[in-house]
Amino acid sequence: MTRSAEDAQRSPGQLASLLIDVSTEAVGAAEGHAGGVYLRSGTPGLLRLAVLTGLPGPLFRPWWRMHVDRPFPVADAYRLGVQVVLPNATETMRRYPQFAAGLPFQFGSLYVPIVGGTTTFGVLTVLCPSATDATELLHHRDRMVRLAEDLGASLLRLEDGGKPSVAWDGEPMCVRPPGTRPPAGRAGGFAWDPVTDVVTADVRLPALLGVPADEFATSVQALAYAVAPAETERVLTALRETAAGRPPPLPLYVRSEDGALRLVELWSPYASPSPPGTPSGAHPVRGFVVDPGPGAAADAAADLLPEGVLCLDRLGLILYANPRAGQLLRRSRTQLLSRPLWEGVPWLNQPAVEDHLRSALLSPGPVRFHLERPGKGVGERGPASYESGAPSYEGTWLDVCVYPGPDVLTCTFRPANRVTDGAADLAPEPLPVGSPSPATPSMAPLYRPIVLAIALSEAVTARQVAAVVMREVLPAFGGRRLAIYLLQERHLYLSWENGFPTGFLAPFEGVGLDARLPGVETLTTGRPIFFDSMEQLAAAYPGIALDADEGARAFLPLIASGRPVGSCILGFDRSRSFSTEERTVLTALAGLIAHAMEKAQRYESEAALARGLQQALLPRRLSANPLVETTGRYLPGTQGMEVGGDWYDVVEAGDGLALVIGDVQGHGVQAAATMGQLRSAVRAFALGDRPPDEVMSGTNHLLIDLDPGQFASCCYIRLDPASGLARVARAGHPPPLLRHPDGHTEVLDLPGGVVLGVDQQAHYPVSELQIEPGAVLALYTDGLVERPGVDIDDGITALRVALSKVGAPANRPSRRTLAGIADRLTALARHTRDRPDDIALLLATRRAAEGTGR
């Protein structure tokens, strides 16, 4: 069960325990493979994986950090406050192609926001077996919702208790899945008090360790020796770390005196930091020791097999290795057992192997692949026992098969033949009858380009392209700095930079193509340039300014279809080497970035044309009347071609004024041109002082006759400045707002007709209302009130409240100008970097006639 909020309050440092409890219970409740908890971090807009249950953390490092604006299910659940249910890989690809490209395996997944009060703390997620449709997972989702609600309430109480805000800025805690059973066999428990150094054991532990109960020592040193004589210090270190509030993330496997495998599980009632009054490093520790027992017979049998056998738990820890596995992997059993796979066999730490292991962990069937083992001296030397007298397999390809299980992954290894022509294709030995078919060759080197390509498909400006590269590429390769230069008239100009010291890149701005700089030469030669360290860079380019004492650099040419676009610089905080595969992938990524940048430049050129046309068509000044003050604002969208459709106008109509606002569907040059035609038509009808319904009907007929394939919304108000009588007609446009002189503001829910351009026989009813002196009438387009995932009515309500506040009686137009009110109402939109739509706002207020008081 999850810990209660009262428990959390009683022990202020229980955040880690709460998260682990909820994550493991959610995986069990949803019968899942794995799960975890994402929490908000100290960096605005960034979520971090706090707990990962049932999966090895290093294999899923690319998903440790998650920006809330990414098109991923975790980000949507957090940002929009919605539950996301993805029953299978097909639905995942349909809804989240970028996420599916990174994890293209057969599994379903659920995501539930963790909310306490009005605060969203994070997201609870579970990966589970594939289902036919979402209905099969709904009962699992309902149980996760209850767990998330309980956790949200507990986190809210922690935060309300005067503690720092609940956030996570470290690496994830990796824990065993709840369904993983300890190996069958004997078990014994104990408790250790670090303050008194007293160990209390249950009656089963002495018997398991082969020590008479009356002789069982009570000190922690004696306990560690009894559990693992050859690994006493390792057991002591784990005990002391747990006492300090830092429990080991993985279960501890050790060997007894006779070499038998033992499992040690440790935990503390408290998590770091310590409760008040607790000495540092003095948390009570509890644990148990498990002797697998009958498993030893299986080990003995597997020791005789002619193929290598390696067993891993679901966190990647090596539980068993037979002698043949040690020989083929060129590691002794001592170097393998009780170590994570990527530590026990370092040369297996490569994208292809990681991809296959992820597949085995998340998919139901066996995964088979071929792997070339590096020769001796490449990365490491084999154990001395294998240097002589043992068969040599220099350059051998290994046939590897991974069999997934609920608790253990079993890997088999055997030599595979390689074709004699030296090509990369493989000719494996014949498979025994009943063996699984070989898996498709690994596509791990393609995953990052595919993910980047999908992400770039949604980026249409140079800034958006650079942001995608910053978000997708740098974390994948461990980079920290990025600079993108674009070519203009044979000079390179900085388009985007992040992570470099302030002002460092200024001297390189506008350098010509004849400059001897790596960022220039990578473009002029068309070849990427890699430096493992700053020393290498300084040696190749003497006198070049350096931004750090150490760190690797990659200079990539941005060339699209043979045309130079610019260059990209990736910076790393530490020295590192670039493998052949990484160089190949980074070069491919540079090509994708170049094409995206070229497309962005075309978009921005067309957008500039559309903006110019839009500005030319909008009124340079509004018709004036001594009894009416008006002001307007227009903000173009900032995403690609999102300009051109909105307009406003004020036109003399007989002895009155026509207030007009409209929005043409679509964006770009065509929308701007259609807007210009509609604005001219409305002005012509208004100058003839036609009734509002006739203005709407005539404009509707014109748009249908033009047949531009677009429709438009419009609101037309004919105002009598002297009497304040307003006659209104609407064509599918958001309702106006009216703030009365006393500050009360209302939404004018007036009847209206359909949008212009769809129905030749459309009727547009006319409503009348009274505008008092001092009242403010607000007309606006939907770009000002629409937000992704938010009902438009909520946006209109928010605008009504804002108008009420900026125009309260103490802030009458006489004290706050109408222009100032317009600026306040559009302030948030002006500072929003990615506006998906353009915005138009028109405000009008009546002045009292002199001598009338009205």
Side-chain angles (χ1 to χ4, degrees):
M1 296 294 294
T2 57
R3 296 175 184 265
S4 67
E6 290 75 17
D7 289 337
Q9 283 187 298
R10 186 166 59 250
S11 302
Q14 291 251 343
L15 175 60
S17 296
L18 281 168
L19 300 179
I20 290 173
D21 286 349
V22 171
S23 176
T24 53
E25 187 170 355
V27 173
E31 301 174 4
H33 295 305
V37 175
Y38 280 88
L39 281 187
R40 61 187 184 179
S41 70
T43 303
L46 181 68
L47 302 177
R48 286 187 179 270
L49 184 61
V51 177
L52 180 61
T53 300
L55 292 174
L59 289 186
F60 294 85
R61 185 179 295 273
W63 296 273
W64 284 10
R65 295 154 45 99
M66 184 70 60
H67 287 269
V68 298
D69 59 348
R70 294 186 74 181
F72 275 49
V74 168
D76 278 0
Y78 180 85
R79 187 181 68 255
L80 305 177
V82 298
Q83 302 156 17
V84 180
V85 179
L86 302 173
N88 48 50
T90 301
E91 182 68 7
T92 303
M93 177 59 78
R94 185 184 70 82
R95 294 177 59 185
Y96 297 97
Q98 189 175 336
F99 174 60
L103 287 172
F105 312 120
Q106 296 297 321
F107 65 90
S109 53
L110 302 96
Y111 308 84
V112 177
I114 301 168
V115 181
T118 59
T119 301
T120 301
F121 291 101
V123 177
L124 177 63
T125 177
V126 167
L127 308 184
C128 55
S130 293
T132 304
D133 55 48
T135 58
E136 296 181 31
L137 301 181
L138 294 184
H139 66 289
H140 296 325
R141 181 206 60 186
D142 294 342
R143 297 179 68 181
M144 286 181 61
V145 168
R146 290 192 291 271
L147 289 170
E149 289 174 348
D150 290 344
L151 178 59
S154 296
L155 297 181
L156 183 63
R157 285 186 169 87
L158 281 176
E159 197 163 74
D160 290 346
K163 308 305 173 190
S165 297
V166 172
W168 194 269
D169 286 295
E171 294 185 356
M173 300 177 292
C174 299
V175 298
R176 297 177 66 199
T180 300
R181 301 177 300 277
R186 300 173 297 156
F190 65 88
W192 172 48
D193 184 348
V195 177
T196 61
D197 194 29
V198 172
V199 174
T200 305
D202 64 20
V203 295
R204 296 169 295 175
L205 185 60
L208 183 149
L209 299 178
V211 179
D214 57 352
E215 297 180 12
F216 189 78
T218 59
S219 71
V220 70
Q221 183 79 28
L223 172 68
Y225 180 82
V227 170
E231 300 178 85
T232 301
E233 285 302 319
R234 189 159 167 253
V235 176
L236 281 173
T237 298
L239 285 162
R240 289 165 181 158
E241 287 289 298
T242 306
R246 299 185 295 271
L250 297 174
L252 184 65
Y253 289 95
V254 296
R255 290 282 172 175
S256 65
E257 190 169 14
D258 61 2
L261 188 68
R262 282 176 175 164
L263 165 66
V264 181
E265 288 274 14
L266 302 174
W267 71 94
S268 172
Y270 307 107
S272 182
S274 306
T278 303
S280 176
H283 295 301
V285 176
R286 295 178 182 176
F288 63 81
V289 181
V290 176
D291 188 341
D299 287 0
D303 283 351
L304 303 177
L305 292 176
E307 61 183 8
V309 178
L310 202 69
C311 295
L312 316 171
D313 73 0
R314 290 190 65 83
L315 295 185
L317 201 69
I318 301 174
L319 307 179
Y320 167 79
N322 71 352
R324 182 61 163 160
Q327 188 181 61
L328 290 174
L329 298 175
R330 204 173 289 120
R331 304 287 285 175
S332 70
R333 296 177 78 178
T334 302
Q335 292 173 306
L336 295 173
L337 294 174
S338 304
R339 300 176 186 274
L341 179 64
W342 32 91
E343 178 184 319
V345 191
W347 59 268
L348 288 180
N349 186 17
Q350 51 183 286
V353 177
E354 291 181 356
D355 174 40
H356 291 304
L357 288 176
R358 282 192 289 262
S359 178
L361 287 161
L362 298 177
S363 303
V367 175
R368 189 165 188 185
F369 58 101
H370 289 85
L371 176 70
E372 185 178 20
R373 185 189 63 188
K376 293 174 184 176
V378 181
E380 61 176 326
R381 289 178 58 84
S385 60
Y386 298 149
E387 294 295 332
S388 62
S392 174
Y393 295 99
E394 291 290 348
T396 294
W397 286 78
L398 299 178
D399 180 6
V400 185
C401 193
V402 184
Y403 299 87
D407 305 331
V408 174
L409 275 68
T410 302
C411 309
T412 63
F413 301 84
R414 61 176 180 164
N417 296 327
R418 189 181 181 190
V419 295
T420 56
D421 63 2
D425 296 330
L426 305 174
E429 298 174 353
L431 299 178
V433 176
S435 296
S437 300
T440 302
S442 172
M443 293 180 62
L446 299 180
Y447 283 155
R448 289 188 182 115
I450 289 174
V451 171
L452 181 64
I454 295 172
L456 288 175
S457 68
E458 301 177 359
V460 293
T461 67
R463 183 175 61 81
Q464 290 171 343
V465 170
V468 167
V469 175
M470 184 73 193
R471 191 176 64 226
E472 301 293 339
V473 177
L474 286 192
F477 290 88
R480 293 291 182 271
R481 303 179 184 187
L482 170 70
I484 294 179
Y485 285 85
L486 296 181
L487 182 65
Q488 296 180 25
E489 299 179 353
R490 298 187 58 78
H491 289 76
L492 289 174
Y493 295 92
L494 185 64
S495 173
W496 176 278
E497 65 93 12
N498 186 280
F500 287 91
T502 303
F504 172 77
L505 297 176
F508 305 103
E509 177 71 2
V511 297
L513 295 185
D514 56 348
R516 189 175 184 275
L517 294 169
V520 173
E521 293 188 359
T522 189
L523 180 62
T524 56
T525 64
R527 295 192 302 269
I529 305 174
F530 298 92
F531 297 101
D532 294 351
S533 65
M534 298 301 282
E535 289 79 6
Q536 283 189 3
L537 175 58
Y541 294 87
I544 190 173
L546 303 178
D547 60 303
D549 295 331
E550 60 176 348
R553 292 290 181 270
F555 296 84
L556 308 174
L558 301 183
I559 300 175
S561 302
R563 295 183 298 276
V565 176
S567 58
C568 176
I569 305 172
L570 302 180
F572 304 83
D573 289 342
R574 299 178 182 177
S575 299
R576 56 158 296 172
S577 60
F578 296 89
S579 67
T580 301
E581 182 180 48
E582 285 180 316
R583 293 171 184 243
T584 300
V585 172
L586 285 171
T587 302
L589 296 181
L592 292 175
I593 297 167
H595 279 90
M597 278 294 183
E598 186 183 49
K599 181 186 72 172
Q601 289 176 317
R602 290 198 305 268
Y603 264 100
E604 289 174 346
S605 296
E606 294 175 13
L609 174 62
R611 290 190 182 99
L613 179 59
Q614 173 82 352
Q615 294 298 328
L617 293 174
L618 286 172
R620 294 184 177 276
R621 63 180 182 84
L622 301 177
S623 297
N625 186 288
L627 298 181
V628 178
E629 179 184 355
T630 59
T631 190
R633 295 291 183 271
Y634 172 77
L635 301 177
T638 57
Q639 294 183 353
M641 293 292 292
E642 305 298 316
V643 295
D646 293 13
W647 91 93
Y648 62 87
D649 208 350
V650 178
V651 187
E652 295 181 5
D655 57 357
L657 284 181
L659 310 175
V660 188
I661 196 160
D663 182 1
V664 177
Q665 172 267 335
H667 303 93
V669 176
Q670 179 61 53
T674 301
M675 178 273 286
Q677 292 171 310
L678 293 185
R679 175 174 175 260
S680 297
V682 172
R683 285 186 66 87
F685 289 129
L687 289 171
D689 201 13
R690 303 279 292 274
D693 55 335
E694 293 185 18
V695 174
M696 289 293 93
S697 295
T699 308
N700 178 49
H701 293 156
L702 172 66
L703 185 56
I704 292 174
D705 291 340
L706 290 173
D707 192 22
Q710 294 172 306
F711 58 84
S713 67
C714 185
C715 183
Y716 181 94
I717 300 179
R718 201 277 189 190
L719 174 64
D720 183 343
S723 67
L725 178 65
R727 305 184 71 231
V728 185
R730 284 199 306 143
H733 201 82
L737 302 180
L738 181 62
R739 193 221 47 177
H740 297 277
D742 63 359
H744 170 65
T745 305
E746 62 177 315
V747 178
L748 300 176
D749 190 12
L750 307 174
V754 298
V755 292
L756 305 173
V758 298
D759 182 3
Q760 188 84 25
Q761 306 301 321
H763 173 66
Y764 299 95
V766 177
S767 303
E768 293 186 353
L769 62 134
Q770 190 69 33
I771 308 296
E772 302 173 78
V776 175
L777 182 67
L779 307 181
Y780 54 92
T781 56
D782 56 10
L784 188 60
V785 292
E786 277 191 325
R787 299 289 182 274
V790 179
D791 191 283
I792 190 172
D793 290 338
D794 294 336
I796 294 174
T797 299
L799 181 62
R800 178 187 63 77
V801 172
L803 178 59
S804 176
K805 289 180 178 179
V806 299
N811 295 319
R812 293 190 300 270
S814 59
R815 297 190 179 186
R816 182 184 297 278
T817 65
L818 203 63
I821 294 175
D823 290 337
R824 290 288 296 275
L825 294 179
T826 56
L828 178 62
R830 282 200 310 274
H831 291 91
T832 300
R833 299 184 65 180
D834 288 318
R835 289 192 304 274
D837 201 357
D838 44 350
I839 292 170
L841 173 70
L842 178 63
L843 301 181
T845 186
R846 283 185 64 216
R847 300 187 181 99
E850 293 185 8
T852 66
R854 292 178 55 85

